[in-house]
Amino acid sequence: MDLQNLTERYVAAWNETDPTARRKLVEDAWATDGTYTDPLVATRGHDEFDATLAAVQSQFPGLTFRLAGPVDAHHNVARFTWHLAPKNADEPLVIGFDVLTATEDGRVASVVGFLDRVPQG
């Protein structure tokens, strides 16, 4: 199972601002009943996760997610740190840590996210 590739597809969905293209990324990478949970939201299924992506993009226009280092993975589980920042900025505004679990067919079953640094105010 290529968890590096699945993680990259997951991050790409966070960055895709075209609603049709974003939805295709979600449907291709996520299990139908896949879940996403972080301190601010809990979702199940494509519709709820896609709506969360749209809401975050609206809240942070012009910012992009990127992996902050290598994906550490074994079996069907990956963990990774990510940054949210303006495209060419060195310093991220938000830093998070996610744990992704994949289905046997290589799609996202669940993601549990943690926010390590968020803007104040």
Tab-separated table of all heavy atoms in Angstrom, residues 6 10 14 23 25-38 41-53 99-113:
chain	number	residue	atom	x	y	z
A	6	LEU	N	-1.135	8.240	-1.022
A	6	LEU	CA	-2.464	8.517	-0.488
A	6	LEU	C	-2.442	9.792	0.354
A	6	LEU	O	-3.348	10.627	0.256
A	6	LEU	CB	-2.977	7.335	0.333
A	6	LEU	CG	-4.386	7.477	0.897
A	6	LEU	CD1	-5.413	7.701	-0.210
A	6	LEU	CD2	-4.743	6.248	1.744
A	10	TYR	N	-4.502	13.232	-0.262
A	10	TYR	CA	-5.279	13.832	0.822
A	10	TYR	C	-4.959	15.321	0.938
A	10	TYR	O	-5.855	16.165	0.990
A	10	TYR	CB	-4.971	13.072	2.118
A	10	TYR	CG	-5.357	13.771	3.391
A	10	TYR	CD1	-6.685	13.838	3.792
A	10	TYR	CD2	-4.384	14.342	4.215
A	10	TYR	CE1	-7.036	14.470	4.976
A	10	TYR	CE2	-4.734	14.970	5.391
A	10	TYR	CZ	-6.056	15.033	5.771
A	10	TYR	OH	-6.391	15.663	6.945
A	14	TRP	N	-7.168	19.225	0.103
A	14	TRP	CA	-7.252	20.439	0.924
A	14	TRP	C	-6.905	21.678	0.105
A	14	TRP	O	-7.381	22.773	0.402
A	14	TRP	CB	-6.314	20.343	2.132
A	14	TRP	CG	-6.824	19.453	3.221
A	14	TRP	CD1	-6.508	18.140	3.417
A	14	TRP	CD2	-7.732	19.810	4.255
A	14	TRP	NE1	-7.174	17.672	4.510
A	14	TRP	CE2	-7.922	18.663	5.054
A	14	TRP	CE3	-8.391	20.994	4.596
A	14	TRP	CZ2	-8.754	18.662	6.175
A	14	TRP	CZ3	-9.228	20.984	5.713
A	14	TRP	CH2	-9.401	19.834	6.483
A	23	ARG	N	-14.083	17.730	-5.444
A	23	ARG	CA	-14.998	16.620	-5.167
A	23	ARG	C	-14.479	15.330	-5.787
A	23	ARG	O	-14.560	14.260	-5.185
A	23	ARG	CB	-16.401	16.946	-5.692
A	23	ARG	CG	-17.428	15.865	-5.433
A	23	ARG	CD	-17.547	15.584	-3.932
A	23	ARG	NE	-18.474	14.517	-3.677
A	23	ARG	CZ	-19.493	14.617	-2.848
A	23	ARG	NH1	-19.719	15.727	-2.174
A	23	ARG	NH2	-20.282	13.590	-2.663
A	25	LEU	N	-11.319	14.564	-6.273
A	25	LEU	CA	-10.221	14.113	-5.415
A	25	LEU	C	-10.757	13.404	-4.175
A	25	LEU	O	-10.237	12.361	-3.763
A	25	LEU	CB	-9.347	15.297	-4.990
A	25	LEU	CG	-8.411	15.869	-6.039
A	25	LEU	CD1	-7.800	17.176	-5.550
A	25	LEU	CD2	-7.321	14.867	-6.384
A	26	VAL	N	-11.784	13.975	-3.570
A	26	VAL	CA	-12.383	13.357	-2.383
A	26	VAL	C	-12.942	11.979	-2.732
A	26	VAL	O	-12.676	10.995	-2.034
A	26	VAL	CB	-13.469	14.272	-1.775
A	26	VAL	CG1	-14.273	13.538	-0.702
A	26	VAL	CG2	-12.853	15.546	-1.207
A	27	GLU	N	-13.712	11.906	-3.786
A	27	GLU	CA	-14.324	10.625	-4.162
A	27	GLU	C	-13.290	9.573	-4.543
A	27	GLU	O	-13.475	8.386	-4.261
A	27	GLU	CB	-15.325	10.835	-5.291
A	27	GLU	CG	-16.552	11.588	-4.826
A	27	GLU	CD	-17.531	11.907	-5.939
A	27	GLU	OE1	-17.235	11.615	-7.124
A	27	GLU	OE2	-18.596	12.474	-5.617
A	28	ASP	N	-12.198	9.985	-5.173
A	28	ASP	CA	-11.152	9.048	-5.580
A	28	ASP	C	-10.318	8.553	-4.397
A	28	ASP	O	-9.875	7.405	-4.394
A	28	ASP	CB	-10.221	9.681	-6.616
A	28	ASP	CG	-10.875	9.849	-7.976
A	28	ASP	OD1	-11.974	9.295	-8.201
A	28	ASP	OD2	-10.294	10.563	-8.818
A	29	ALA	N	-10.079	9.413	-3.419
A	29	ALA	CA	-9.165	9.070	-2.328
A	29	ALA	C	-9.860	8.541	-1.078
A	29	ALA	O	-9.246	7.825	-0.296
A	29	ALA	CB	-8.316	10.286	-1.953
A	30	TRP	N	-11.119	8.891	-0.879
A	30	TRP	CA	-11.810	8.581	0.375
A	30	TRP	C	-12.784	7.430	0.228
A	30	TRP	O	-13.513	7.330	-0.756
A	30	TRP	CB	-12.604	9.806	0.860
A	30	TRP	CG	-11.725	10.812	1.511
A	30	TRP	CD1	-10.886	11.680	0.895
A	30	TRP	CD2	-11.575	11.039	2.896
A	30	TRP	NE1	-10.224	12.436	1.820
A	30	TRP	CE2	-10.632	12.062	3.060
A	30	TRP	CE3	-12.158	10.475	4.029
A	30	TRP	CZ2	-10.248	12.538	4.300
A	30	TRP	CZ3	-11.768	10.962	5.271
A	30	TRP	CH2	-10.823	11.979	5.404
A	31	ALA	N	-12.850	6.594	1.254
A	31	ALA	CA	-13.912	5.603	1.346
A	31	ALA	C	-15.237	6.347	1.470
A	31	ALA	O	-15.289	7.461	2.003
A	31	ALA	CB	-13.691	4.708	2.562
A	32	THR	N	-16.300	5.744	0.983
A	32	THR	CA	-17.616	6.384	0.994
A	32	THR	C	-18.010	6.858	2.390
A	32	THR	O	-18.577	7.933	2.542
A	32	THR	CB	-18.687	5.410	0.449
A	32	THR	OG1	-18.279	4.992	-0.850
A	32	THR	CG2	-20.039	6.063	0.366
A	33	ASP	N	-17.690	6.076	3.399
A	33	ASP	CA	-18.038	6.447	4.774
A	33	ASP	C	-16.816	6.881	5.577
A	33	ASP	O	-16.814	6.819	6.800
A	33	ASP	CB	-18.767	5.301	5.468
A	33	ASP	CG	-17.890	4.061	5.622
A	33	ASP	OD1	-16.825	3.981	4.963
A	33	ASP	OD2	-18.260	3.165	6.392
A	34	GLY	N	-15.764	7.337	4.886
A	34	GLY	CA	-14.550	7.791	5.563
A	34	GLY	C	-14.846	8.919	6.537
A	34	GLY	O	-15.759	9.725	6.333
A	35	THR	N	-14.053	8.978	7.597
A	35	THR	CA	-14.257	10.004	8.627
A	35	THR	C	-13.051	10.923	8.743
A	35	THR	O	-11.919	10.527	8.461
A	35	THR	CB	-14.533	9.378	10.008
A	35	THR	OG1	-13.397	8.606	10.410
A	35	THR	CG2	-15.789	8.513	9.981
A	36	TYR	N	-13.336	12.152	9.152
A	36	TYR	CA	-12.300	13.135	9.468
A	36	TYR	C	-12.693	13.778	10.794
A	36	TYR	O	-13.838	14.225	10.955
A	36	TYR	CB	-12.194	14.211	8.381
A	36	TYR	CG	-11.231	15.304	8.774
A	36	TYR	CD1	-9.866	15.136	8.589
A	36	TYR	CD2	-11.683	16.463	9.393
A	36	TYR	CE1	-8.973	16.110	8.995
A	36	TYR	CE2	-10.786	17.439	9.803
A	36	TYR	CZ	-9.437	17.261	9.606
A	36	TYR	OH	-8.544	18.218	10.027
A	37	THR	N	-11.751	13.826	11.729
A	37	THR	CA	-12.016	14.408	13.040
A	37	THR	C	-10.817	15.244	13.462
A	37	THR	O	-9.674	14.773	13.418
A	37	THR	CB	-12.242	13.302	14.101
A	37	THR	OG1	-13.239	12.404	13.627
A	37	THR	CG2	-12.658	13.902	15.428
A	38	ASP	N	-11.072	16.492	13.842
A	38	ASP	CA	-10.051	17.325	14.471
A	38	ASP	C	-10.729	18.089	15.610
A	38	ASP	O	-11.925	17.881	15.853
A	38	ASP	CB	-9.322	18.210	13.442
A	38	ASP	CG	-10.135	19.359	12.886
A	38	ASP	OD1	-11.126	19.803	13.512
A	38	ASP	OD2	-9.776	19.865	11.807
A	41	VAL	N	-14.022	19.939	14.139
A	41	VAL	CA	-15.054	19.343	13.296
A	41	VAL	C	-14.934	17.820	13.289
A	41	VAL	O	-13.844	17.283	13.486
A	41	VAL	CB	-14.959	19.895	11.846
A	41	VAL	CG1	-13.687	19.446	11.160
A	41	VAL	CG2	-16.176	19.537	11.018
A	42	ALA	N	-16.068	17.171	13.073
A	42	ALA	CA	-16.091	15.732	12.854
A	42	ALA	C	-16.997	15.486	11.653
A	42	ALA	O	-18.129	15.978	11.618
A	42	ALA	CB	-16.610	14.989	14.078
A	43	THR	N	-16.478	14.753	10.657
A	43	THR	CA	-17.249	14.501	9.444
A	43	THR	C	-17.302	13.006	9.149
A	43	THR	O	-16.445	12.241	9.601
A	43	THR	CB	-16.636	15.209	8.216
A	43	THR	OG1	-15.424	14.542	7.822
A	43	THR	CG2	-16.354	16.670	8.490
A	44	ARG	N	-18.309	12.631	8.372
A	44	ARG	CA	-18.412	11.270	7.854
A	44	ARG	C	-18.929	11.377	6.423
A	44	ARG	O	-19.924	12.044	6.169
A	44	ARG	CB	-19.357	10.416	8.678
A	44	ARG	CG	-19.519	8.989	8.104
A	44	ARG	CD	-20.362	8.080	8.969
A	44	ARG	NE	-19.771	7.828	10.264
A	44	ARG	CZ	-18.796	6.938	10.515
A	44	ARG	NH1	-18.305	6.208	9.534
A	44	ARG	NH2	-18.328	6.773	11.730
A	45	GLY	N	-18.241	10.723	5.518
A	45	GLY	CA	-18.685	10.679	4.131
A	45	GLY	C	-18.163	11.822	3.284
A	45	GLY	O	-17.614	12.806	3.780
A	46	HIS	N	-18.333	11.659	1.990
A	46	HIS	CA	-17.808	12.613	1.017
A	46	HIS	C	-18.420	13.999	1.176
A	46	HIS	O	-17.700	14.999	1.122
A	46	HIS	CB	-18.059	12.104	-0.405
A	46	HIS	CG	-17.318	10.858	-0.732
A	46	HIS	ND1	-17.611	10.105	-1.838
A	46	HIS	CD2	-16.283	10.231	-0.129
A	46	HIS	CE1	-16.791	9.064	-1.898
A	46	HIS	NE2	-15.990	9.114	-0.867
A	47	ASP	N	-19.732	14.091	1.350
A	47	ASP	CA	-20.385	15.400	1.417
A	47	ASP	C	-19.873	16.235	2.587
A	47	ASP	O	-19.537	17.407	2.423
A	47	ASP	CB	-21.908	15.249	1.528
A	47	ASP	CG	-22.555	14.720	0.263
A	47	ASP	OD1	-21.914	14.755	-0.813
A	47	ASP	OD2	-23.716	14.266	0.359
A	48	GLU	N	-19.809	15.637	3.767
A	48	GLU	CA	-19.381	16.381	4.947
A	48	GLU	C	-17.912	16.781	4.861
A	48	GLU	O	-17.539	17.899	5.223
A	48	GLU	CB	-19.637	15.574	6.217
A	48	GLU	CG	-21.107	15.411	6.540
A	48	GLU	CD	-21.361	14.603	7.797
A	48	GLU	OE1	-20.410	14.320	8.559
A	48	GLU	OE2	-22.538	14.241	8.030
A	49	PHE	N	-17.063	15.860	4.366
A	49	PHE	CA	-15.646	16.199	4.263
A	49	PHE	C	-15.421	17.284	3.211
A	49	PHE	O	-14.689	18.248	3.448
A	49	PHE	CB	-14.793	14.961	3.953
A	49	PHE	CG	-13.323	15.262	3.914
A	49	PHE	CD1	-12.668	15.746	5.031
A	49	PHE	CD2	-12.596	15.085	2.755
A	49	PHE	CE1	-11.307	16.049	4.993
A	49	PHE	CE2	-11.239	15.373	2.707
A	49	PHE	CZ	-10.600	15.856	3.832
A	50	ASP	N	-16.082	17.178	2.065
A	50	ASP	CA	-15.956	18.194	1.020
A	50	ASP	C	-16.419	19.554	1.536
A	50	ASP	O	-15.783	20.580	1.265
A	50	ASP	CB	-16.744	17.766	-0.214
A	50	ASP	CG	-16.491	18.643	-1.417
A	50	ASP	OD1	-15.348	19.087	-1.614
A	50	ASP	OD2	-17.446	18.883	-2.178
A	51	ALA	N	-17.499	19.588	2.290
A	51	ALA	CA	-17.977	20.851	2.870
A	51	ALA	C	-16.955	21.436	3.843
A	51	ALA	O	-16.765	22.653	3.896
A	51	ALA	CB	-19.320	20.640	3.560
A	52	THR	N	-16.279	20.577	4.581
A	52	THR	CA	-15.232	21.046	5.496
A	52	THR	C	-14.070	21.658	4.726
A	52	THR	O	-13.560	22.718	5.098
A	52	THR	CB	-14.742	19.890	6.392
A	52	THR	OG1	-15.836	19.462	7.210
A	52	THR	CG2	-13.568	20.302	7.265
A	53	LEU	N	-13.664	21.010	3.636
A	53	LEU	CA	-12.588	21.554	2.812
A	53	LEU	C	-12.969	22.938	2.290
A	53	LEU	O	-12.175	23.880	2.357
A	53	LEU	CB	-12.284	20.623	1.637
A	53	LEU	CG	-11.768	19.229	1.970
A	53	LEU	CD1	-11.590	18.416	0.702
A	53	LEU	CD2	-10.490	19.287	2.768
A	99	VAL	N	-3.159	11.660	11.657
A	99	VAL	CA	-2.994	10.218	11.583
A	99	VAL	C	-4.059	9.712	10.614
A	99	VAL	O	-5.257	9.913	10.839
A	99	VAL	CB	-3.145	9.548	12.959
A	99	VAL	CG1	-3.045	8.031	12.833
A	99	VAL	CG2	-2.101	10.082	13.931
A	100	LEU	N	-3.616	9.102	9.540
A	100	LEU	CA	-4.491	8.616	8.473
A	100	LEU	C	-4.498	7.090	8.511
A	100	LEU	O	-3.440	6.470	8.599
A	100	LEU	CB	-3.962	9.110	7.131
A	100	LEU	CG	-4.689	8.743	5.851
A	100	LEU	CD1	-4.438	9.807	4.792
A	100	LEU	CD2	-4.258	7.387	5.319
A	101	THR	N	-5.680	6.513	8.447
A	101	THR	CA	-5.834	5.065	8.350
A	101	THR	C	-6.468	4.756	6.996
A	101	THR	O	-7.456	5.403	6.614
A	101	THR	CB	-6.716	4.517	9.486
A	101	THR	OG1	-6.136	4.903	10.732
A	101	THR	CG2	-6.811	3.009	9.429
A	102	ALA	N	-5.912	3.799	6.295
A	102	ALA	CA	-6.387	3.451	4.957
A	102	ALA	C	-7.193	2.151	4.984
A	102	ALA	O	-6.982	1.283	5.829
A	102	ALA	CB	-5.207	3.294	4.007
A	103	THR	N	-8.087	2.049	4.011
A	103	THR	CA	-8.828	0.811	3.801
A	103	THR	C	-7.916	-0.201	3.114
A	103	THR	O	-6.833	0.160	2.633
A	103	THR	CB	-10.059	1.064	2.908
A	103	THR	OG1	-9.598	1.517	1.626
A	103	THR	CG2	-11.004	2.083	3.524
A	104	GLU	N	-8.359	-1.428	3.025
A	104	GLU	CA	-7.563	-2.452	2.348
A	104	GLU	C	-7.351	-2.138	0.873
A	104	GLU	O	-6.339	-2.533	0.299
A	104	GLU	CB	-8.221	-3.819	2.504
A	104	GLU	CG	-8.071	-4.384	3.892
A	104	GLU	CD	-8.598	-5.805	4.004
A	104	GLU	OE1	-8.681	-6.505	2.971
A	104	GLU	OE2	-8.914	-6.207	5.124
A	105	ASP	N	-8.284	-1.408	0.263
A	105	ASP	CA	-8.124	-1.061	-1.155
A	105	ASP	C	-7.413	0.281	-1.361
A	105	ASP	O	-7.399	0.813	-2.462
A	105	ASP	CB	-9.462	-1.099	-1.886
A	105	ASP	CG	-10.442	-0.030	-1.421
A	105	ASP	OD1	-10.196	0.621	-0.386
A	105	ASP	OD2	-11.471	0.157	-2.097
A	106	GLY	N	-6.803	0.821	-0.294
A	106	GLY	CA	-5.943	1.990	-0.439
A	106	GLY	C	-6.651	3.333	-0.468
A	106	GLY	O	-6.134	4.293	-1.034
A	107	ARG	N	-7.802	3.429	0.166
A	107	ARG	CA	-8.506	4.709	0.269
A	107	ARG	C	-8.508	5.151	1.726
A	107	ARG	O	-8.258	4.361	2.635
A	107	ARG	CB	-9.935	4.552	-0.260
A	107	ARG	CG	-9.926	4.129	-1.731
A	107	ARG	CD	-11.288	3.802	-2.234
A	107	ARG	NE	-11.916	5.049	-2.656
A	107	ARG	CZ	-13.210	5.169	-2.877
A	107	ARG	NH1	-14.016	4.155	-2.700
A	107	ARG	NH2	-13.704	6.312	-3.267
A	108	VAL	N	-8.790	6.421	1.959
A	108	VAL	CA	-8.815	6.947	3.317
A	108	VAL	C	-10.035	6.404	4.054
A	108	VAL	O	-11.171	6.620	3.630
A	108	VAL	CB	-8.836	8.487	3.329
A	108	VAL	CG1	-8.956	9.004	4.755
A	108	VAL	CG2	-7.605	9.062	2.646
A	109	ALA	N	-9.788	5.707	5.162
A	109	ALA	CA	-10.863	5.244	6.043
A	109	ALA	C	-11.139	6.287	7.116
A	109	ALA	O	-12.288	6.549	7.457
A	109	ALA	CB	-10.502	3.915	6.689
A	110	SER	N	-10.056	6.863	7.647
A	110	SER	CA	-10.210	7.886	8.676
A	110	SER	C	-8.959	8.738	8.767
A	110	SER	O	-7.858	8.294	8.442
A	110	SER	CB	-10.494	7.257	10.044
A	110	SER	OG	-9.355	6.563	10.512
A	111	VAL	N	-9.177	9.965	9.208
A	111	VAL	CA	-8.086	10.868	9.556
A	111	VAL	C	-8.453	11.500	10.896
A	111	VAL	O	-9.576	11.980	11.083
A	111	VAL	CB	-7.870	11.979	8.506
A	111	VAL	CG1	-6.823	12.982	8.985
A	111	VAL	CG2	-7.458	11.375	7.167
A	112	VAL	N	-7.500	11.483	11.807
A	112	VAL	CA	-7.633	12.189	13.078
A	112	VAL	C	-6.565	13.270	13.062
A	112	VAL	O	-5.376	12.967	12.907
A	112	VAL	CB	-7.478	11.249	14.287
A	112	VAL	CG1	-7.560	12.034	15.590
A	112	VAL	CG2	-8.530	10.147	14.247
A	113	GLY	N	-6.998	14.514	13.200
A	113	GLY	CA	-6.076	15.642	13.131
A	113	GLY	C	-5.915	16.344	14.449
A	113	GLY	O	-6.850	16.409	15.264
